[in-house]
Amino acid sequence: MKQLSLINKRNRKKGVKLGRPATTFTGARQKRMGFSKSQALHITLRLRDSLPNLRSRRGAQTVKNAISGARKKGLRVIHFSILSNHLHLICEAISSKALFNAMKSFTSRLAISIRRWASLRTLYRLDEEGVGIFRGRYHTQIIKTPTQMKQALKYVLLNPAKHFKKAPYL
């Protein structure tokens, strides 16, 4: 007696993927691009709504502590900008594995500090919805040219002036 195959022969065509389709809009199933250690990265990390404002003394101290923890894992933060509900980082990492470990450390330290700081009502609502502190994954832009670096620095350093309608500091 011949054993039957569990996979349909028509689904074995090249390009047909089996399994559950990717349905998240946060890029959670997309593969990140590789980079060399000589390239800088522009990383954006967004928080959920109704969490405490990061542009306060306590928020700045929280972010600085998370950056120092990520530095131990191999992430060199060159510049950063703290806004009320998101962060911009320009940084360097030795490899994508080092970036992964450092950002894991950074986000976990930041999330633990924000959870200690947030109101219980906000935390209950987030837990009921089954969502975390961050809105999806962090977004990474690889900076390849000096022009891109100039634009990224301008964007990161002048972003608070854009959001808060203040005069830029150049």
Side-chain angles (χ1 to χ4, degrees):
M1 180 181 226
K2 183 180 174 187
Q3 184 172 354
L4 297 175
S5 174
L6 294 176
I7 299 173
N8 259 345
K9 288 185 180 182
R10 64 183 166 169
N11 286 341
R12 286 187 181 179
K13 295 177 192 170
K14 190 173 182 177
V16 176
K17 295 185 179 182
L18 301 175
R20 191 176 81 180
T23 57
T24 60
F25 298 103
T26 60
R29 293 176 181 260
Q30 295 173 356
K31 188 176 178 183
R32 295 195 186 273
M33 291 176 40
F35 61 93
S36 68
K37 64 181 180 180
S38 64
Q39 292 174 326
L41 304 166
H42 176 202
I43 297 175
T44 306
L45 185 64
R46 294 190 161 278
L47 271 64
R48 295 258 175 216
D49 294 332
S50 73
L51 286 171
N53 187 355
L54 290 177
R55 282 186 70 85
S56 62
R57 287 186 191 274
R58 189 168 180 180
Q61 191 60 41
T62 300
V63 171
K64 285 181 183 179
N65 290 341
I67 287 173
S68 67
R71 186 177 295 138
K72 293 174 187 173
K73 299 285 184 179
L75 187 74
R76 291 181 303 274
V77 177
I78 302 166
H79 293 287
F80 65 95
S81 174
I82 304 172
L83 292 142
S84 60
N85 64 348
H86 64 283
L87 299 168
H88 291 282
L89 306 167
I90 293 184
C91 54
E92 296 174 341
I94 298 169
S95 65
S96 38
K97 179 121 175 123
L99 175 68
F100 170 75
N101 290 332
M103 286 305 293
K104 194 167 151 186
S105 171
F106 178 79
T107 53
S108 64
R109 284 173 186 262
L110 197 59
I112 288 168
S113 297
I114 290 173
R115 278 192 168 275
R116 283 190 199 136
W117 180 21
S119 68
L120 289 176
R121 180 184 297 162
T122 303
L123 294 177
Y124 287 143
R125 186 182 57 78
L126 290 176
D127 289 341
E128 283 176 3
E129 292 176 8
V131 295
I133 297 290
F134 301 107
R135 207 185 298 168
R137 293 167 68 182
Y138 59 92
H139 177 260
T140 307
Q141 180 77 32
I142 300 172
I143 300 171
K144 298 176 183 174
T145 64
T147 305
Q148 279 183 331
M149 184 61 162
K150 180 181 175 185
Q151 290 170 347
L153 278 172
K154 186 176 175 184
Y155 183 79
V156 168
L157 296 178
L158 298 180
N159 205 336
K162 180 181 86 171
H163 284 283
F164 301 112
K165 309 287 189 272
K166 294 182 181 176
Y169 46 91
L170 283 178

